[in-house]
Amino acid sequence: METHQIELTVNGRRRSVNVKPNELLINVLRNDLHLTGTKYGCGIGECGACTVLLEGKPVLACLILAASANGATITTIEGIGAEKLDPVQEAFIDHGAIQCGFCTPGMVVTAKALLDENPQPTEAEIKDYIRGNVCRCTGYTGIIKAVQSCGCGGEHKKVTAKKQP
Amino acid sequence: MDNHFDVIGSVLPKKDGIAKVTGKEIYASDVELPDMMHAVVLRSTVAHAEIKSIDTSEAEAMGAICLVPDDVPQVYYNERIVSIPEKTYRDRLVLPRKVRHYGEAIAAVAAETEEEAFAAMQKIKVEYKELPFYTDPLEANKPGAAPIYESVFLGENKFDVVNNVACERNITVGIFNCCPTCGTRFDYSCRLDEYHCGCGIVYTPAEDDGKAFDNAEVILEKEYDLSRVYHAQMETKSAVCRPEPEGGFTLWTTTQSIHNVRILLGEIFSIPLNKINVKRVALGGGFGSSIQMNSITPICTALALKARRPVKLVSSREEDMYDHHKYPAKFKFKIGATKDGKIVAGHLTVIVGIGGHNVQAYPLLGCMAGWYASLYKFPNLKFEGTAVYTNQAPCCAMQGYGNPQVNFAVESTIDMLAEELGMDPIELRLKNYVGLGDEFWGQGPTVKSTIKSCGVEEMLERGSKMIDWYERPQPGSGDGNVLRGVGLARGFHTSGTGGPKPGEVIDYSSASVKINEDGSVDIMTPIMDHGGGTWDAAVKIVSELLKVPYEMVSLSPTDTRTTGYDVNTHATRGVYCGCGAAYHVALKVKQELLTVAGQFLEEHPHDLDLIMDKESGQGVIVTKGLDCKRMTVGEVAAKARVLSMGTIAATGSYRQKNCPPCFVTNFVEVEVDKRTGQIRVVKSVTLGDCGTTINPDMLEGQLVGGLNRGIGYSTLEEASYDPKTGKLNCEGFYDSYKMTTAVEMPPLNKIETGFASTYEPTGPFGAKGLGEAAVNSIASAIANAVYNATGVRFTKLPITPAEVVAALKAKDEGRI
Ligand code: FES
Ligand code: FES
C-alpha cells in the first residue's frame, strides 16, 4: 500500500510521518512517534484510553485516520505538564484518582478538555463528560473529586493549541 | 489514627503517581526494542474441533515466522502454579492439537509490522473436524456428552476424564457423612448415590441430610445462578520477549507473578532459570486475570526463540475477552436453624462450568467451601462442588475467587431465613457469624488459622446507624413507580494463604532492603501492585521501621534475576504477606544499622533507638531516652563506607503463618424503577476491617472500586454464550459487553466508607489485607435491597431490567 507524508504538530513539535491511508492515529502516536502514554484499550471507541486533543478538542485516536489529521495540532498526555505538573495531574495524585493508571492518561486528557469547555463543572456534568472513559479500578469517585477540585477557577490552565512558527 | 506512627496511616503521594499522570509509566505493551518483530495470534473460529491440518506455506512465503502446534514443546502445563504440584491439574500445551473453545489460540505469526503479521495470518489455512460443543455445564456433564478431554494430568499422574468433570470436592464437618450406626466418616471424592460403611450399613445422602437437619425447626432450600463475567482489566494481555546472546531470554509481560512466569517458562522450554529474566513492569489492572501465566506469554516466547529476534505480542480487546472469565456458578443451598435463630446445618452444592482448560478449579472449589464455612458457624456442614469442562473461555480467579458467588447464595438465604424467623437480619447475623477466636478457612480446607482481630460487630452497628437501618421500609411496601429499599450483606476475604502448616497453596515472599550512603533506602521486591497501593505500603512499612522519611525510601526496578521468590499478588496477600516480608527484612537491617551505629557512638545497640527527623529529612540514631548522642542514618552509612565496613543491607524470605480475614460490611440503598426495570444504587455505606490502615486513601479507593465492579456484577455484566454458535453474545466487543461507567455510581456524598478500629497482631504494624473483600458482598447487599424495595427475590445475576419488569408485573398480577 502506498504511503503519504503527513505533517503533525504534536505537543508543540512539528513531526512528519509516512502513513498508509488506513493507518490510525493511535498507531502513529505509539509506534512512529513513540508516545506510548496514549493507550490502547479497545480500538473501537468505547473505552477512552486513547483520548488526545486535536486542535484542543478531545478525540479518540483509535477512530481517527492519521491521514485525516494532516496539518493538525495534537496534544497527547506527554504534552500536558511536561515541565511542571498541570493542576489536573496534581489533583489526580492527591484525590486517589489513580490505581493501575492505565486509564489515567485518557482520563487526564478528557478532564483537561472538560475544564477548558466548562471551568466549573458540576458532579453530574463531570460524570456525563467522562462516561466514555472506562476505569475498571477506581470506581470513578477519586477522578470526579480530582476534576471538581480543579474547577474552582484560576488553578486550571487551558491547553492552547500552540503551533510552531 | 495511632499517633505513634510517623508514616503508617498517613496520606502521602503515591510513588508511581507522577509516572502515571504523565503517561511515562511503562506497561508491557509499551516496551519497544531495537529490531523488534510484531506478532499476532490465529484463533479458532469453532468451539470444539480436532485440528486436522494447518497450512502456513503462503504466510511463510510472505516472509513471516509462523508458529504451529508442531513447533512448541510438548509439555502439558497448568498456567497457575500457586498450588503444590500434587494438587495441580495439567491439561494444556502452548498451542493445542484440539480446539476447546471459540477464540482459542491455535497458531501465531511474527513479521516486521503488526499489519504484515496480520496479513500473513489471514493466509493460514486450517482444517477442522468439528465436534459437538457445550456452553452449559449441565449439558457437558451428561453421560454420553462428547468428551472435551479424554485424559489430563493431576501432578505426575494421568487420569481419565469422565462426563467432562474436571474435578470434584466434597467437604464435610460435623455429623454429615458419618455412619449412623458406628460413626465412621465416609471419605469420598466424588458424588455417590449410596455410602457403604465397613459395619455393613448402606446409607443414602438423603438420610445423611435428614440426620444433620434433624434439629432444625426452619429449613430453607434455594437455588442461585451466578453469571460468567469478563475481568475487563484495562490493559489487554501483552508480552515482549527478547532472546539473549548467551541463551535464554528477557521478558516483559502482563502478570501478577514474575517468578511463576519464570518457573513455568523454564519448565516448558527446558531453559535454566538463570537464563530467564522476567521484568517487573506496571500492571494495567489484574483482578485475577493474570495470576496465571497468560496464554499469549509462552506463544510470544516461542516465536522470539524461533525468530531469534525480539517479538512483541499485544492482545486485541476481542482476543482478551476470549481468553479468561470469572467462574460462573449454579448453587443449591439448604440451611436449617432453630426458632431462636441458631444455625444447625448447611448443605451447599455447586456446579461450575470452567471452560476449555482447568486453570485450577480444584482450589477454587476448596475456597468456595472455605468462604461458606467461614461466614457463619455451621455445626454440621456439607459442601459438594463439581467443576465441569465446557467449550468456553477458561475461567480463572476474579477478585474474590469464588467468594462473591458463595456470598450471594449464603447472604441472600440468611436474609430469607431472618424473615422466616421474624428476626432482624443483623441480629441473626450476630448470632451466628464466625469471629474472634473462631477458625477461619483462608484457602480451602487445608489453610486455616484462628481469628485474632475482628471488626464485624462494630461495623454492623456503625453501618446500621449510617444508613438508618431500622427506618427502612417493609419489604415491597412502597407504591409509585420508583421503589426504594435498603439492604445489607457482610463478607470478608482472606489475607494471604498462610497457615500454621503449609497446606495445598504455596505462600511466601522475599525482599531486600539496603541503606544508601546518604541515608536513603532502596527496597527490592518481586511483588506486583495492581494499583491498590501494595508498593506504597511496602515503602511506608520500611520507612516506619527504619524511621527514614517516606520521600527517602524507594522501590528499585526489579526482575526475577535480582529478587527472591514471591508467589503472586493474589488472595489479598500483597500487604500482609508481600509487605510482611519487607517488614521482616527491614527488621534485620535495623539491627545491623544499630550495631554499626553502636560502634561509632560507643554504645550498646540495645541502648540505641531510631527516630524520624522530618526537618533534616533523615532517620536519626539516638541514645534511648537521652538523645545525647546522635548520628543520622546517612552519616552511619557514609562512615561505614569510608571505613570499608560494608553496606548495611539484608535479604530474606518470609512466610506468614496465618491467614487473617479482612471483613467488610455493605449497606446499600437502591431505587427500582418499575417501568424500566432499572436498579440504581443511590447510597452505599461500606465499612472495612483491615487492621491498621497503612494507606487510608488507597483503602478507600479499594472499597469504592469494589462497589463499582459489584454494581456491574449485580446489574449489568454477563459474558454469555450463544449455545448455537459457541461464540460470546457480545462477540468480544466492548460496546456490547456492558460495564459500569461513572454515571452508574451513587452521588459522591452518598458513598460513605469507614474502617473498623482493629489491630491484627500477626500483620506488619497490625495490618491485614482488604482488596478482594471490597467486592465480595456488594451484589448480595444489592439483591437484598432490591427485595426490600420490591418484595421480589432475585436469585440470578445479573438482575437485568427485563427480568425486573417481568417479575414486578408477575407480582402485581398475583402470579408470584
Ligand atoms: S482504544 Fe480508543 S476508545 Fe478504546
Ligand atoms: S486506574 Fe486502572 S483502569 Fe483506571
Side-chain angles (χ1 to χ4, degrees), chain A residues 20 30 34 36-37 39-41 46 77 89 98-102 123 127 131 134 136-137 139-141 148, chain B residues 20-21 27 29-30 32 115 230-232 316-317 530-531 701 704-705 709 717 735 740 745-748 751:
Chain A
K20 294 188 179 134
R30 286 182 58 84
H34 311 291
T36 55
K39 300 296 182 207
Y40 164 86
E46 286 289 328
I77 186 67
Q89 290 167 316
I98 317 159
Q99 286 187 25
C100 81
F102 206 79
E123 181 181 334
K127 283 183 170 178
R131 71 185 304 169
V134 175
R136 191 59 157 168
C137 301
Y140 302 96
T141 60
Q148 254 183 347
Chain B
K20 285 178 174 173
V21 290
Y27 301 81
S29 47
D30 297 328
E32 293 182 5
E115 197 183 0
Y230 169 54
H231 297 76
S316 70
R317 179 58 66 186
H530 300 220
V704 178
R709 291 184 294 282
E717 294 187 34
D735 52 354
T740 40
M745 289 298 279
L748 289 186
I751 300 175

Side-chain angles (χ1 to χ4, degrees), chain B residues 143-198:
Chain B
I148 297 173
Y149 288 89
E150 299 289 344
S151 60
V152 298
F153 292 92
L154 171 59
E156 291 306 314
N157 301 319
K158 203 169 187 177
F159 72 92
D160 292 341
V161 177
V162 179
N163 296 338
N164 288 318
V165 171
C167 58
E168 285 183 278
R169 268 189 119 151
N170 299 281
I171 294 159
T172 51
V173 172
I175 59 170
F176 273 117
N177 281 18
C178 292
C179 170
T181 312
C182 69
T184 310
R185 186 173 286 276
F186 304 105
D187 269 327
Y188 65 104
S189 60
C190 57
R191 276 178 293 162
L192 297 174
D193 294 335
E194 284 179 345
Y195 311 136
H196 294 258
C197 184

Side-chain angles (χ1 to χ4, degrees), chain B residues 205-206 230 292 370-371 381 522 538 583 650 664 701 813:
Chain B
Y230 169 54
Q292 59 282 352
W371 312 139
L381 170 143
D522 281 323
Y583 176 90
V664 286
E813 291 167 2

Side-chain angles (χ1 to χ4, degrees), chain B residues 356-374:
Chain B
H357 294 288
N358 182 358
V359 190
Q360 278 302 73
Y362 180 81
L364 170 92
L365 294 176
C367 282
M368 282 182 155
W371 312 139
Y372 150 54
S374 303

Side-chain angles (χ1 to χ4, degrees), chain A residues 25 29 38 50-54 57-61 74-76 109:
Chain A
L25 182 59
L29 293 173
T38 300
C50 64
T51 310
V52 297
L53 300 179
L54 185 94
K57 293 272 172 282
V59 294
L60 300 170
I74 292 167
T75 305
T76 69
V109 172

